[in-house]
Every structure is written in structure tokens, then in C-alpha cells.
Amino acid sequence: MKRVSVLLSSACLSLMTVMPALAQTQRTNLAPIPTYEVHRAKIAPRIDGKLDDAAWQATKPVTFVFPWTDQTGKKQKTVARLTWDSENLYVAYACEDSDITAVYTQHDDPTYKDDAVEIFIAPPGIKNLYLGLEMNARAVLYDYLYPFPQRIIKNYNLPGVRLAVSRQGTLNNSSDQDHGWNLEVSIPWRAFADLTDNPVPKIGDRWIANMNRWDGTEPNRRLSQWSDSGMVKPDPHYPDRFGRLLFVE
Ligand SMILES: [Ca+2]
Ligand SMILES: [Ca+2]
Ligand SMILES: [Ca+2]
């Protein structure tokens, strides 16, 4: 936690002054927080953007929901799957998409402004501090540490993350009809070594996480999520509403 402590002491405001305002930004009658059983992969998926690996066939799909009904544009389906082994967490996203758009090409660019998928994640026992990975349809990664609800620490980089995309359609050409894109990412457990002394999950451990997708370009953009953040305005960040990842054999 040393590296994290130094980062936080330079970046933080008082939680006490910020939290009451945030509580008022939540909608009511939210769905229960979901739990996903993450089954261990017998053979790790190959990170090539193609979701034909045996490891993915054995996983349960989750379909993202669209919590913000006033957002415009087509509500296109996203299905995510997770698996793990002693080295990595693996996440696959299958995105239906009739127009694939992404312009950012450099690490830590604001990929969330493109067609992008995300995962926010933290190991057990940590409150309001998580890692974020936001990945566009060109397989560009924006990674950070977020001491919620203060300031995203963009200069924080996760070692050893690998990602790849496959596209069924053309990139940045709105004159034709696309079909979709897939993204595959592996996140090594050692990337969590600043947050926990035991970054490799044990059977039965529960981590918190959420997965999101941004689709479309302004002013027609949609945010969909695994677990509805409950925010009044479209905003994926609210760790109290993250889902639970239960690690099983
Ligand atoms: Ca693959
Ligand atoms: Ca799109
Ligand atoms: Ca970064």
C-alpha cells in the first residue's frame, strides 16, 4: 500500500465533506446488486480479440442494462464474461454495433469518449479505492487508480495488462453497416499488488467490480452497465453499487 498511500496523500480531499452531496445523486428503486461466479479457466483464453476460446464457452454471460432512458441512439447489446487462473483475470466483451467509432490511439488517451468498454475493480477489504481500465474499439487502454470520489490518478499504470480487439465492420466509416466488435483483456493479479498483500484470489473470495460500455458519439451516446450505478445522470462511478465477483473453482 506504500505507493498508493503516497499518491493519496497528495490527491485527497476530505471524504466527510463530499459524501453527503453524492448520496443525493442516487435514483431510488434500484435492482439488487448482482453477483457473478468467476470460474477458473482450465486453459487460459488467447488474447486475440476472438471469443472462440474453450474458456469462454464455459462461462456465464451477463448482458448490460441501460439505466438512463433519456439517452438517445440505438440501445445495442453488450455481453461480458469473466474467468481467471493463478496468473490473471480475463474479461471478454461482445458488443453489437452498427457503427464502430474510435479515434484515440495513445495509452491513457480519454478512450471513454470513443466506443469503449470498461472494468472497475478492487480486491476485498478496500473501500472507495479501485482500479479502472477503459478500453476503446482500437484496443487502446486508459488505466488509472481512483480514490473515489476525489480525482482519478491517470498517471497510475497497471503492469502487464494485455488486450486485443476484433471488429466485424469498418472503423470510423458511418456510410456502411457494421455488426460489432469484441474485446478481450487479461489483467495480471500482480497489478493489484499496491492494493493488497494477497492479490491472487482464493476460492470463495469476493471482489467488487463493475463493467460498462460507452457507445456512440456525442450527442448520441449511451452508457450501459452490468450493475446500475444508480446515479441520476449517466455516470458509471459509484462503488457502493459495484457488483460482486465470487471466485470459484
Ligand atoms: Ca481469444
Ligand atoms: Ca458504436
Ligand atoms: Ca494510466
Side-chain angles (χ1 to χ4, degrees):
M1 287 291 282
K2 270 191 196 129
R3 183 176 161 215
V4 168
S5 303
V6 170
L7 284 165
L8 296 187
S9 61
S10 63
C12 289
L13 303 165
S14 163
L15 278 178
M16 298 302 287
T17 58
V18 183
M19 290 309 285
L22 273 168
Q24 295 166 14
T25 64
Q26 285 279 290
R27 285 176 279 112
T28 54
N29 299 320
L30 299 173
I33 287 173
T35 295
Y36 184 93
E37 287 190 358
V38 191
H39 289 261
R40 193 196 288 264
K42 291 193 178 76
I43 300 170
R46 183 186 160 104
I47 303 300
D48 56 5
K50 296 173 189 142
L51 309 186
D52 54 358
D53 313 76
W56 296 129
Q57 309 312 316
T59 58
K60 200 177 140 215
V62 289
T63 301
F64 291 4
V65 296
F66 290 86
W68 295 278
T69 50
D70 54 342
Q71 288 188 303
T72 54
K74 198 155 57 164
K75 292 182 167 61
Q76 307 194 96
K77 185 177 178 182
T78 307
V79 172
R81 300 167 184 271
L82 298 98
T83 186
W84 70 295
D85 61 19
S86 58
E87 297 294 320
N88 300 289
L89 176 69
Y90 305 92
V91 192
Y93 304 82
C95 306
E96 290 181 3
D97 202 326
S98 60
D99 185 23
I100 309 170
T101 56
V103 297
Y104 290 101
T105 59
Q106 302 297 311
H107 175 232
D108 278 344
D109 274 350
T111 53
Y112 54 90
K113 294 180 181 175
D114 285 334
D115 278 342
V117 289
E118 308 177 334
I119 183 167
F120 305 155
I121 183 166
I126 295 185
K127 181 122 176 100
N128 293 333
L129 178 66
Y130 53 92
L131 300 179
L133 295 88
E134 308 193 355
M135 304 160 282
N136 72 6
R138 310 175 82 122
V140 176
L141 172 67
Y142 166 39
D143 55 357
Y144 54 82
L145 180 72
Y146 193 3
F148 181 87
Q150 293 132 22
R151 203 160 53 111
I152 283 176
I153 303 174
K154 173 181 167 170
N155 288 341
Y156 191 89
N157 297 328
L158 307 182
V161 172
R162 296 175 56 227
L163 67 160
V165 159
S166 65
R167 291 186 295 265
Q168 299 80 52
T170 56
L171 188 63
N172 301 326
N173 179 357
S174 297
S175 68
D176 61 2
Q177 178 82 16
D178 302 328
H179 299 286
W181 56 286
N182 301 322
L183 186 142
E184 228 170 2
V185 57
S186 66
I187 308 165
W189 296 118
R190 63 188 160 86
F192 298 92
D194 286 334
L195 300 185
T196 175
D197 291 336
N198 302 297
V200 182
K202 294 186 293 298
I203 301 296
D205 278 359
R206 284 169 194 272
W207 290 42
I208 60 164
N210 210 353
M211 295 176 287
N212 318 300
R213 178 185 177 191
W214 288 99
D215 182 22
T217 50
E218 292 294 352
N220 290 306
R221 294 203 83 197
R222 281 82 53 208
L223 173 61
S224 56
Q225 299 194 282
W226 173 38
S227 179
D228 177 0
S229 70
M231 302 298 276
V232 170
K233 292 183 179 156
D235 180 348
H237 292 283
Y238 196 72
D240 280 356
R241 287 286 309 170
F242 284 8
R244 306 286 185 264
L245 301 181
L246 171 62
F247 289 90
V248 298
E249 195 46 68

